[in-house]
Amino acid sequence: MMKCIRITGLSIAVVAVFVMLPIAYAADPATPPAGSSFEARLAQRKAEQNITLEEKDQKRLEQTCVNVQSKIRTINQSATTVINDRNLSYKRVDAKLWVTIGRLKLATQDTFELEKQRTSFAQQINDFQTTGSNYTQTLDDIQLINCQADPVGFKALLETARFYHKQLISQANAVHAYVANDIKKTLDTHVSDLKPKAETN
Amino acid sequence: MNPQDPMIIQPNQPTPPNVPGPPSPPPPSPENMFQPITSQGPPPPADSLGVPQSQPAFLSPDPASSPPSSYEAPNPIQPITNLGKPTKKKSKKPLILAVIVVGVLLLVTTIVVVIASSSQNNTQNNQQQTEAPQGPQPAQAIDIEQANNSITQDITSHDNNKDFPEDQLSDKNLGL
């Protein structure tokens, strides 16, 4: 009886390892080198995603990938506009923080905390800008590839785009939360410090 | 007909050269035209060089034969110095005109100076107003509050769910 339980457990463990292995093996997409060509980026994404397609999946992909490319074109146009607008807004916020820090220094206020938060905010918007650039570049590559001739490459690029899309959502939410919770709190503290205190006699 | 008659123009006779004669006496000046007749009589006439000549005896009055003191010489003829020139009263119109012109010029100059000084003051005030805020000012509570609200508005103007829908690249949405 115990022997059967051990064999069953061992089998489940082996199956789990084989199921999880492809997912674990797919490395997070890295930023392609600046000035890289389409072929270089495609090779990089294939190596990162390590896609294997069954025959029926491959055939279905060959039949539908052209329609997918036309939808990707529409998504790419709207995503480019949205990302550019967000980058401008974030840079505007960064500039306002710079000016506020300067004026607080002129008022002989301690700005160490606000400067630290401003540095962290700048790093966050820089990461968002990089992710947005990688995302739109991947969508461009999906439109370029001959999906019927290379369905594996098409699938690899599609998975890469999905990864960057999720990363964009995560980073945008993080930026909003950081400004609303951390930076705003620090600014409220400075407001109360600068308010004239009531004379007590 | 007498050929020696000087009134007869003799043909083919050379004309006598013009020999300059003695200079003619200068015309008497208007002031000396009429000399007053005094008890001593008129002054002796002058020769061509202006040197008075002695007068004949019958012309020069003899003091011994001078008329008695009771005799009064006739009123001397007053010299007429300005013959043909009517006397005019001095008109005051040019003076008045000059005063008016000077006054107008002074008035115009004053107005121009006042306008120039006032415009200069305006430009100085504008420069002072534009130059007054030199660089950023120390922050006040209201300034930080406004910056805080502005930053919040910039961030919240973007909707993450709308801009990046989670199912945008799903197989269902793409038709895979």
Side-chain angles (χ1 to χ4, degrees):
Chain A
M1 184 65 176
M2 290 299 292
K3 202 175 184 178
C4 289
I5 293 172
R6 283 181 195 167
I7 292 170
T8 307
L10 195 62
S11 303
I12 292 172
V14 168
V15 168
V17 166
F18 275 104
V19 167
M20 296 297 293
L21 194 60
I23 300 172
Y25 186 71
D28 287 344
T31 301
S36 59
S37 62
F38 166 73
E39 289 76 16
R41 290 193 297 270
L42 180 62
Q44 179 183 342
R45 301 310 182 194
K46 280 183 176 179
E48 288 171 351
Q49 298 296 330
N50 195 22
I51 301 292
T52 54
L53 292 174
E54 294 182 1
E55 189 173 346
K56 62 175 181 177
D57 293 331
Q58 190 170 343
K59 282 185 180 176
R60 187 174 75 248
L61 211 59
E62 289 171 3
Q63 292 170 359
T64 58
C65 68
V66 175
N67 290 335
V68 172
Q69 283 180 321
S70 64
K71 289 181 183 177
I72 292 292
R73 188 177 301 115
T74 306
I75 292 170
N76 190 18
Q77 288 172 357
S78 65
T80 302
T81 304
V82 163
I83 290 168
N84 287 341
D85 289 345
R86 274 181 184 251
N87 285 332
L88 285 174
S89 288
Y90 293 158
K91 283 180 182 172
R92 206 158 44 232
V93 169
D94 185 45
K96 288 176 184 175
L97 286 174
W98 268 121
V99 172
T100 302
I101 288 169
R103 296 189 69 180
L104 285 170
K105 283 182 181 292
L106 284 173
T108 64
Q109 294 286 308
D110 183 15
T111 59
F112 176 74
E113 187 64 26
L114 188 60
E115 287 183 63
K116 200 169 64 173
Q117 289 174 351
R118 188 252 141 209
T119 303
S120 176
F121 175 75
Q123 184 61 45
Q124 290 182 31
I125 62 175
N126 193 30
D127 294 341
F128 179 85
Q129 192 171 357
T130 302
T131 304
S133 176
N134 289 337
Y135 177 61
T136 54
Q137 181 66 67
T138 306
L139 294 179
D140 286 335
D141 292 339
I142 290 175
Q143 297 173 62
L144 281 175
I145 192 171
N146 187 352
C147 60
Q148 292 177 336
D150 187 3
V152 172
F154 178 81
K155 183 71 175 176
L157 288 172
L158 187 59
E159 292 301 323
T160 304
R162 286 170 177 167
F163 172 83
Y164 284 132
H165 180 76
K166 276 185 191 170
Q167 201 170 42
L168 275 177
I169 295 172
S170 166
Q171 288 174 347
N173 289 333
V175 165
H176 282 212
Y178 192 70
V179 172
N181 298 332
D182 296 64
I183 294 179
K184 186 171 172 55
K185 248 183 216 174
T186 305
L187 290 175
D188 287 337
T189 305
H190 283 293
V191 169
S192 60
D193 289 342
L194 286 171
K195 276 183 180 172
K197 294 180 175 58
E199 295 179 1
T200 56
N201 290 323
Chain B
M1 189 157 104
N2 184 9
Q4 299 293 327
D5 188 357
M7 298 306 291
I8 297 174
I9 298 172
Q10 301 292 335
N12 298 329
Q13 282 189 0
T15 56
N18 288 330
V19 178
S24 59
S29 60
E31 289 78 14
N32 296 330
M33 246 187 190
F34 298 94
Q35 297 295 327
I37 300 174
T38 60
S39 58
Q40 291 181 358
D47 60 357
S48 61
L49 299 178
V51 179
Q53 302 292 322
S54 60
Q55 295 183 0
F58 65 88
L59 288 179
S60 60
D62 187 4
S65 63
S66 62
S69 62
S70 63
Y71 175 77
E72 292 180 358
N75 291 331
I77 299 174
Q78 298 295 330
I80 301 173
T81 55
N82 295 324
L83 285 176
K85 289 186 182 178
T87 56
K88 284 185 182 176
K89 287 186 180 177
K90 284 186 179 178
S91 175
K92 293 187 180 177
K93 285 185 182 176
L95 182 62
I96 295 170
L97 192 63
V99 168
I100 291 171
V101 167
V102 168
V104 167
L105 285 174
L106 280 174
L107 184 65
V108 168
T109 305
T110 306
I111 291 169
V112 167
V113 167
V114 167
I115 291 172
S117 63
S118 65
S119 65
Q120 191 176 4
N121 286 339
N122 284 340
T123 54
Q124 282 178 356
N125 289 338
N126 289 338
Q127 282 178 358
Q128 286 173 0
Q129 285 173 2
T130 55
E131 291 175 359
Q134 294 178 358
Q137 301 298 313
Q140 297 179 357
I142 185 76
D143 299 327
I144 304 303
E145 202 167 342
Q146 286 175 353
N148 199 3
N149 294 336
S150 174
I151 288 169
T152 304
Q153 191 175 0
D154 283 336
I155 294 295
T156 56
S157 65
H158 300 287
D159 186 355
N160 291 339
N161 296 327
K162 185 181 172 185
D163 292 340
F164 306 112
E166 286 191 11
D167 60 345
Q168 191 173 33
L169 295 180
S170 64
D171 287 343
K172 183 180 178 182
N173 194 37
L174 295 176
L176 285 171

